[in-house]
Amino acid sequence: EEQKLERVRQQVRSFPDFPSPGINFRDITPLLKDPSAFCTAMDLMEAHVRKCFPRVDVIAGLDSRGFLFGPVLAQRLGIGFVLIRKKGKLPGPTESVSYSLEYGKAELEIQTDAVDAGQKVLIIDDLLATGGTLWAACQLMKKKGAEILECLVLIELTSLRGTEKLKSVPIYSLLQYD
Ligand code: PRP
Ligand code: HPA
């Protein structure tokens, strides 16, 4: 288990001062390029979900890097995947929630028929920073009456205290960085 996590961690690199000064950007592209390490990351996520949740109805992934992991996990679990997108990208009836970023505001959207009330949903993204994005995703799911089992991320930036913002929702991360 620890060795598997270490293999995954080795394929995450850091870029200081991207996209702006003071930000140490955690870059997952080496992991995606290494099929064996990527598979190990998915094995760990799958094992965690199977151990903790006997029934999951749907995986909801966040635009855009949640789309890299969510569908893979959903296929492994034999369940469906739905998209939570930035505003204006999804056709048909949608519901949206606005949320605050470090600077300004943004909006996330879901198609009205993406999930049904009472469904057990796992929300997935690549990374938890301030928690604003996952918070908005949770609001969307609550609006739909879905039951949020957990938010699952590859990486948690612990010093930004995103878990505090998401207080009532359990968070699981494979890797943690300060
Ligand atoms: C990044 C990351 C998360 C979010 C985390 O996405 O992939 O979705 O920020 O930040 P938060 O916890 O402070 O909300 P970004 O908004 O850069 O969009 P992208 O995936 O389209 O690059
Ligand atoms: N890496 C990747 N995405 C991010 C980061 C980061 O450090 N912070 C917020 N989104």
Side-chain angles (χ1 to χ4, degrees), residues 53-134:
F53 306 107
R55 183 185 141 204
V56 184
D57 293 319
V58 63
I59 307 261
L62 280 147
D63 191 351
S64 63
R65 283 171 267 153
F67 299 169
L68 301 169
F69 301 97
V72 180
L73 183 60
Q75 284 282 302
R76 283 172 170 234
L77 297 171
I79 61 178
F81 176 78
V82 301
L83 306 120
I84 298 174
R85 295 219 60 182
K86 289 175 181 157
K87 195 176 171 59
K89 305 280 188 180
L90 290 168
T94 58
E95 286 167 51
S96 61
V97 164
S98 63
Y99 62 108
S100 49
L101 298 167
E102 268 179 296
Y103 297 99
K105 277 184 127 191
E107 241 173 301
L108 286 181
E109 211 162 53
I110 190 167
Q111 285 173 321
T112 300
D113 65 2
V115 295
D116 298 323
Q119 280 196 306
K120 295 181 187 294
V121 180
L122 214 67
I123 300 174
I124 188 165
D125 203 354
D126 66 324
L127 180 141
L128 170 65
T130 66
T133 304
L134 282 176

Side-chain angles (χ1 to χ4, degrees), residues 18 23-27 65 126-127 129 157 160:
F18 180 89
I23 306 284
N24 191 18
F25 192 87
R26 306 295 174 174
D27 178 27
R65 283 171 267 153
D126 66 324
L127 180 141
L157 305 182
L160 295 175

